[in-house]
């Protein structure tokens, strides 16, 4: 029932996503008004918002949806492609650009754990990176299957996801966290714990390294693809 603002579509295009990618991923713009009207339309479909992060009851007892700053809503999907929660990529902010949609402190509301997110179908090898949007972009540009956590320090649910993926035939993990892990001692410590977890679970593992002028693997792949596109145009 939501749309996508032109500025948000342009932002996604600049990351390398096509309109077809955007439609398949289900990215939408955060509603800034008429939330109660949108929820009324949801209820008319027979859906039950109880236990869904972001929904809450007003003082009058009506269901509504949280108001947040403007940004792009990102569906975070589990191993079966089901939406577990939503992340918001906020506009016009320097710090903490991503936050979970949650209504945990509101009447009838619900919190949202730091879910993992899978982009693509599991094969023998998957890439492990930070953040669902980054995972979606890497998958769209390269075809690689990517599992996202909410940062190298947020590994609470990773072991659970990896256990399930192992039953689906995954045997090798390639990590692709932003290149600043090389110089950040706190991130390095967490990264070492991650490597220990992968080894303990019996996975083969390695690390993607790319030109450090590009912070993320998604940025690097898109830059290389643009060079090839320019050469062929």
């Amino acid at each position: 029932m939501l749309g996508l603002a032109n500025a948000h579509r342009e932002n996604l295009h600049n990351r390398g996503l096509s309109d077809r990618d955007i439609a398949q991923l289900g990215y939408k713009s955060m509603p800034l008004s008429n939330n109660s009207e949108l929820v009324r339309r949801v209820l008319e479909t027979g859906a039950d918002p109880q236990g869904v992060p972001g929904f809450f009851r007003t003082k009058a007892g009506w269901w509504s949806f949280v108001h947040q700053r403007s940004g792009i809503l990102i569906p975070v999907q589990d191993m079966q492609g089901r939406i577990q929660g939503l992340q918001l990529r906020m506009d016009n902010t320097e710090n903490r650009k991503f936050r979970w949609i949650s209504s945990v402190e509101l009447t009838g509301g619900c919190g949202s754990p730091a879910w993992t997110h899978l982009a693509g179908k599991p094969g023998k090898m998957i890439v492990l990176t930070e953040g669902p949007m980054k995972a979606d972009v890497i998958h769209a540009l390269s075809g690689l299957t990517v599992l996202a956590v909410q940062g190298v320090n947020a590994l609470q649910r990773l072991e659970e996801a990896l256990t399930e993926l192992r039953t689906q035939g995954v045997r090798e993990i390639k990590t692709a966290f932003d290149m600043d892990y090389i110089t950040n001692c706190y991130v390095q410590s967490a990264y070492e714990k991650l490597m220990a977890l992968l080894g303990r679970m019996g996975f083969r593992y390695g690390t993607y390294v790319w030109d450090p002028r590009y912070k993320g693997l998604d940025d690097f792949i898109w830059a290389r693809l643009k060079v090839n596109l320019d050469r062929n145009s």
Side-chain angles (χ1 to χ4, degrees), residues 55-100:
F55 290 90
F56 69 97
R57 288 191 181 274
T58 65
K59 291 181 179 179
W62 299 101
W63 282 108
S64 189
F65 193 76
V66 294
H67 287 270
Q68 293 278 2
R69 298 170 64 176
S70 64
I72 302 171
L73 286 171
I74 306 162
V76 179
Q77 301 181 18
D78 67 6
M79 306 299 110
Q80 285 77 44
R82 300 172 298 189
I83 297 174
Q84 307 168 99
L86 297 173
Q87 259 202 352
L88 176 66
R89 197 276 181 187
M90 295 181 290
D91 300 333
N92 305 318
T93 182
E94 293 297 326
N95 299 312
R96 199 187 171 205
K97 291 183 178 180
F98 296 88
R99 68 170 52 173
W100 287 98

Side-chain angles (χ1 to χ4, degrees), residues 52-203:
V52 180
F55 290 90
F56 69 97
R57 288 191 181 274
T58 65
K59 291 181 179 179
W62 299 101
W63 282 108
S64 189
F65 193 76
V66 294
H67 287 270
Q68 293 278 2
R69 298 170 64 176
S70 64
I72 302 171
L73 286 171
I74 306 162
V76 179
Q77 301 181 18
D78 67 6
M79 306 299 110
Q80 285 77 44
R82 300 172 298 189
I83 297 174
Q84 307 168 99
L86 297 173
Q87 259 202 352
L88 176 66
R89 197 276 181 187
M90 295 181 290
D91 300 333
N92 305 318
T93 182
E94 293 297 326
N95 299 312
R96 199 187 171 205
K97 291 183 178 180
F98 296 88
R99 68 170 52 173
W100 287 98
I101 295 297
S102 171
S103 51
V104 66
E105 296 181 352
L106 300 171
T107 302
C110 176
S112 186
W115 300 109
T116 58
H117 168 76
L118 187 68
K121 296 182 178 180
K124 290 185 177 180
M125 188 277 286
I126 64 169
V127 177
L128 181 64
T129 194
E130 176 181 359
M133 179 179 278
K134 190 181 296 292
D136 286 338
V137 173
I138 294 172
H139 173 65
L141 297 180
S142 69
L144 293 167
T145 297
V146 189
L147 179 67
V149 293
Q150 301 313 307
V152 73
N153 283 298
L155 306 179
Q156 302 97 320
R157 294 190 172 269
L158 176 60
E159 186 169 359
E160 178 183 327
L162 290 176
T163 298
E164 183 172 352
L165 286 169
R166 188 167 54 190
T167 68
Q168 299 182 42
V170 174
R171 296 293 179 264
E172 184 174 5
I173 311 290
K174 297 288 191 185
T175 63
F177 291 95
D178 287 355
M179 291 294 281
D180 57 4
Y181 85 89
I182 295 174
T183 56
N184 187 319
C185 61
Y186 298 104
V187 176
Q188 275 188 335
S189 175
Y191 188 78
E192 289 170 2
K193 292 179 181 178
L194 168 61
M195 296 296 99
L197 171 63
L198 297 179
R200 189 167 64 248
M201 294 188 70
F203 289 104

Side-chain angles (χ1 to χ4, degrees), residues 3-25:
L4 185 67
N6 289 336
H8 291 154
R9 186 174 297 277
E10 183 179 0
N11 179 294
L12 296 169
H13 285 165
N14 290 337
R15 297 172 186 272
L17 295 178
S18 67
D19 285 331
R20 181 180 180 182
D21 294 328
I22 294 168
Q24 289 178 337
L25 291 167

Side-chain angles (χ1 to χ4, degrees), residues 27-73:
Y27 285 12
K28 303 290 184 180
S29 294
M30 181 72 194
L32 300 179
S33 61
N34 300 322
N35 287 17
S36 294
E37 172 62 18
L38 284 166
V39 172
R40 183 188 66 77
R41 291 168 57 194
V42 170
L43 294 174
E44 287 178 349
T45 70
D48 181 5
Q50 183 71 47
V52 180
F55 290 90
F56 69 97
R57 288 191 181 274
T58 65
K59 291 181 179 179
W62 299 101
W63 282 108
S64 189
F65 193 76
V66 294
H67 287 270
Q68 293 278 2
R69 298 170 64 176
S70 64
I72 302 171
L73 286 171

